Amino acid sequence: MQHLTRWRVTLVLGICFVGFWFGLQNFLPHSVLEKIPSFIPQSQLSLGLDLQGGSSILLEVDLKDIARNSLLTLIDELRRAFRQKRLGYFDLKLDSKNVLRFKLRSLKDTELAQSIIRGRFPDIIVEVDSTGSVSATPKPSFIQEKEENAITQSIEIVRRRIDEMGTKEPSIQKQGKNRILVQLPGVGDPSEVRNLLGKTAKLTFQLLHPTLTPETIRGRSIPIGYEIVPGSNDESHISYLVKKTVEVGGEMLTNAGVDSQGEAQVTFSFDAIGARKFAEVTRANIGRPFAIILDKKVISAPVINSVIPNGRGVITGRFSLIEARNLSVLLRAGALPAPLTILEEKTVGPELGSDSIKAGEMATLISIAAVFCFMFLFYGFIFGTIANICLFVNFVLLFAGLSLLGATLTLPGIAGIALTLGMAVDANILIYERVREEVRENMPPLSALGAGYNRAMATIIDSNITTLIGAALLYQFGNGPVRGFAVTLALGIIISMFTAISLSRLLILSWLKMRGPQQTLPI
């Protein structure tokens, strides 16, 4: 305890310097931040919805058709594979229980059919009976993987749509098994966001029947390979006879924008594959109507007048400027893999957020003042001052750590800070009490300090590790505000161990060095 090595002193001071470099700006007003040099960090902690005010939307991903839609895509892959291997079959279909069924023309092809399916789709169980009937049942792992992928893709697409709107610092998190919580600080009216998130935005380009319409076939059966699709909201009374085959899909789009000259319209462009397909379709169907379908509604049905070789086009449909912009946002972000249902929507006013900040500030200041007074009263001016300096450094380092992590400060986070400050001096108290015991045994000051730190170390580590385990469990099984509280608590505990053990030791040794040899310690 008589001295600290130079590298330890440098490390402690270096950590404190970095903490003040990245943490102090959180305590400065914006008017001061604007005047400081640009090389000094100026970004402050982001405030959460409960502090800043804004909107919160809870979405649920509809997973009931995910497995079935995935299996339907497998049917086309199986047909191509069977055709390549010249395997004879008939009656390939997907039944109501999501089991692929077909019959082999020859029992000799049993092993070939099994090897084709198992080779391409290892998560599907294949069974063949004595009559040549084949059933392919997906394993639970297949369904689980598809559902998890759908949720992950939905979160990413929701994030893209929110980012395209220019919303500042949104929070988008998975909640539970199939829910997504979207928090938008500073957004008072979530109606536009709600409209964007509620649309699947699946875009397809499909041909119309060259001669027939729903009106001309009324009372008769629909031609094979066609279906009747309604018009968009403005033309819901109109329906179209559309070929089921998707000529070009929206997943091949590379960009979409708005042309506001004259009537608002949406421009789009395809990638190389999409452009080639678009050119082939327009070349082969000049003079034929071409439906542009968004979420199973025809938004435009222009006639192909000429070949479009560059993969660029325009969607017109009596759009307002806002509707055209929203459609371009949806197309750029991509289609959702599953529909989203809005379960809950709430708005927090900025007045409530301001009140929460004031209440949090007051609670934090009271906790700091109470701890300061306690340390002065119980451990005297010198050791109380050292403990309080460590507490202040702990406070600044905590904000620096949250800033470096890119965390968002919420009301539970403020509660975690207040709790952390109360717990921060716990290690100091353990050390000081051990030192007091050694002083009562008439041990010399330096020896008493060394014994106090060494004997308190095990207790400090044990108590903080148990709290860290609790914080880790809160983070693992909690969500949203609970996780924010857990992060703040865990970070505060780690920092408090540094300030109580390393920084306080450095300060005490520096004080002893300045004052010279002491007969006893004022503790």
Side-chain angles (χ1 to χ4, degrees), residues 23-24 32 72 113 145 206 220 242 246 265 286 307 309 334 380 441 482:
L24 275 182
V32 176
L72 286 172
E145 181 186 359
Q206 297 169 232
R220 294 185 290 166
V242 179
V246 175
Q265 54 190 13
I286 292 177
V307 179
E441 298 293 332
V482 177

Side-chain angles (χ1 to χ4, degrees), residues 5-153:
T5 58
R6 182 171 295 179
W7 72 267
R8 286 188 177 180
V9 174
T10 305
L11 180 62
V12 172
L13 295 179
I15 292 174
C16 293
F17 175 78
V18 172
F20 276 78
W21 184 262
F22 288 100
L24 275 182
Q25 72 271 18
N26 291 290
F27 306 98
L28 300 176
H30 289 287
S31 57
V32 176
L33 286 176
E34 292 174 355
K35 298 177 182 178
I36 63 177
S38 58
F39 65 87
I40 298 176
Q42 300 180 17
S43 60
Q44 295 181 316
L45 267 178
S46 303
L47 298 181
L49 188 69
D50 48 1
L51 298 180
Q52 185 178 347
S55 301
S56 172
I57 301 175
L58 182 62
L59 306 168
E60 184 177 57
V61 184
D62 187 358
L63 299 175
K64 67 178 184 295
D65 293 328
I66 288 295
R68 187 169 187 82
N69 292 338
S70 300
L71 291 170
L72 286 172
T73 61
L74 297 186
I75 290 179
D76 292 334
E77 293 184 39
L78 283 178
R79 285 198 176 104
R80 285 195 293 270
F82 290 163
R83 194 179 304 117
Q84 292 174 356
K85 299 294 183 179
R86 300 185 181 276
L87 185 143
Y89 70 96
F90 61 96
D91 199 19
L92 175 59
K93 62 183 179 181
L94 182 66
D95 67 14
S96 58
K97 296 182 179 180
N98 287 341
V99 178
L100 285 169
R101 300 185 184 278
F102 63 92
K103 290 188 176 181
L104 296 172
R105 296 191 182 278
S106 172
L107 288 175
K108 296 179 181 179
D109 293 330
T110 299
E111 291 186 4
L112 178 59
Q114 290 177 331
S115 64
I116 292 174
I117 298 174
R118 289 171 179 165
R120 285 172 169 76
F121 315 111
D123 288 331
I124 291 181
I125 302 171
V126 184
E127 296 177 344
V128 184
D129 62 17
S130 57
T131 64
S133 296
V134 182
S135 61
T137 308
K139 297 179 182 178
S141 58
F142 174 87
I143 299 174
Q144 182 180 356
E145 181 186 359
K146 296 301 180 183
E147 290 180 349
E148 289 177 353
N149 288 342
I151 294 171
T152 302
Q153 291 173 17

